[in-house]
Amino acid sequence: MNADDRRFMRLALRQARKGRTSPNPHVGAVVVRDGERLAVGHHVRAGEAHAEVMALKAAGQGASGATLYVTLEPCNHHGRTPPCTEAVIAAGIARVVVGCEDPSPHTEGSAARLRAAGIEVLVGVEREAAQEVIADFAKHHVSGLPFVHVKSAVTLDGRVATRSGDTRWITGETSRRAVHRMRARADAILVASGTALADDPALNVRSVRGLSPRRVLLDSALRVPPTAQLFARDGTPAPRVYHAQDAPAASRRALEAVGAECVSVPRDAGRLSLSAVLEDLGRRETMRLMVEAGPALLGSLLDADLVDELSVFVAPLLIGDEGAIPMARGRALERLADAVRLEPLRIRRYGDDVCFEGRPTRPRT
């Protein structure tokens, strides 16, 4: 491993973060000869060419004798597309540098197959970053559940709105663009009825280039009217509404009339079962779910240990009112030692705001 290996793998990782690949993993690739980049590629969507094939096609005959950098080990099986190992061998690649291993068991033997063809293979360059890129795929592949990414925006005193419910705008424009980039990476975006009624969010991608995710609503009693923005027919996938089995039939018919898909799920302790919702989304090939959660939903998700990643945007504002709305309303906590921590912690600056990101973890008991 050398400095060039790390440099070009980081370029491949930037490529990997593009596309909407569910239920496939995000993968990026770079073809390099004599320290010069020849071509890049990324997997755009399921059913289309994989990143390696895209990069090799762009490199053309220049790929012969070159090095291929790929964030995930090349597939070695016939799926919707032929094995990438075949394309790598046919292109005459001399060396393959891999970010991380594929958690799918059907890829076993890919490195051995390449080495048998006389190709040098190095695995594990920028492994942690490469694993982070496919964390949603790994979660969905192993458990069948979506990777749950929750976003929240708070003031310095931990409030998401004034006591009247005013939220616009806590964070600045730079942070809002970052949130839209997060939306563009997600297969679906979920809110509860309280947020939908208070804010009437559109939940689409506007501030950046990218596809809008499918909108998902938790509304046990179907209180959100069909005129809400999240039901707008704007070219995005049909919204999905999860509701209780005893929700009003007339409300369901009204939502279905504007194109919404209504799904009944059981209750758990009086509320819609979050586990049932996530299981249904997973079955429908939702690999990455973004949640813009109000305090009750965030508290429930944290209490049930259902959050895989939490992004908290903190703005330099103070409301200073104990009646203002807090970020989360979860179970009672007596000791700070039992508080949720973000690990590993990443801190990013967006204009005047600071974003804290990581996986919520509690101390083991």
Side-chain angles (χ1 to χ4, degrees), residues 102-306:
D102 193 326
S104 305
H106 56 230
T107 63
E108 290 180 359
S110 61
R113 184 175 184 184
L114 294 174
R115 289 183 177 120
I119 299 173
E120 179 187 349
V121 180
L122 174 63
V123 180
V125 176
E126 298 290 333
R127 178 180 272 117
E128 289 187 5
Q131 289 174 333
E132 181 184 342
V133 167
I134 65 160
D136 46 9
F137 168 75
K139 165 80 179 292
H140 186 252
H141 178 78
V142 171
S143 70
L145 300 174
F147 182 93
V148 179
H149 172 214
V150 178
K151 165 263 173 185
S152 187
V154 302
T155 61
L156 285 174
D157 47 350
R159 305 294 170 161
V160 296
T162 65
R163 66 170 61 207
S164 67
D166 183 20
T167 63
R168 297 188 177 180
W169 294 100
I170 288 178
T171 54
E173 185 176 343
T174 305
S175 291
R176 295 197 292 275
R177 283 198 300 271
V179 170
H180 280 242
R181 285 193 292 272
M182 293 174 179
R183 290 180 179 179
R185 289 188 63 200
D187 300 310
I189 183 168
L190 182 148
V191 295
S193 57
T195 297
L197 290 168
D199 299 341
D200 192 22
L203 300 180
N204 55 15
V205 174
R206 303 181 302 278
S207 300
V208 299
R209 294 179 63 183
L211 298 175
S212 293
R214 183 185 296 276
R215 292 167 289 198
V216 179
L217 174 65
L218 300 183
D219 190 0
S220 58
L222 295 179
R223 297 186 300 146
V224 180
T227 54
Q229 286 195 85
L230 64 86
F231 297 120
R233 295 184 176 181
D234 54 4
T236 58
R240 185 172 297 135
V241 183
Y242 290 97
H243 60 85
Q245 294 165 336
D246 58 354
S251 298
R252 176 170 179 152
R253 288 193 295 270
L255 293 180
E256 290 174 339
V258 297
E261 178 186 7
C262 296
V263 181
S264 66
V265 293
R267 293 183 186 271
D268 181 7
R271 296 181 176 179
L272 293 182
S273 170
L274 294 175
S275 295
V277 169
L278 294 179
E279 288 169 4
D280 186 74
L281 287 169
R283 284 192 295 269
R284 297 169 188 260
E285 294 191 340
T286 300
M287 188 170 76
R288 188 177 188 88
L289 175 67
M290 183 173 176
V291 182
E292 300 200 3
L297 177 56
L298 179 52
S300 297
L301 287 168
L302 290 173
D303 288 347
D305 192 27
L306 293 175

Side-chain angles (χ1 to χ4, degrees), residues 27-31 39-43 48-60 63 68-70 74-75 81-88 91:
V27 183
V30 181
V31 179
V40 298
H42 69 277
H43 186 36
E48 297 189 6
H50 290 185
E52 302 95 314
V53 174
M54 296 290 286
L56 292 171
K57 183 178 179 180
L68 173 68
Y69 292 85
V70 59
C75 65
T81 59
C84 288
T85 50
E86 291 183 358
V88 173

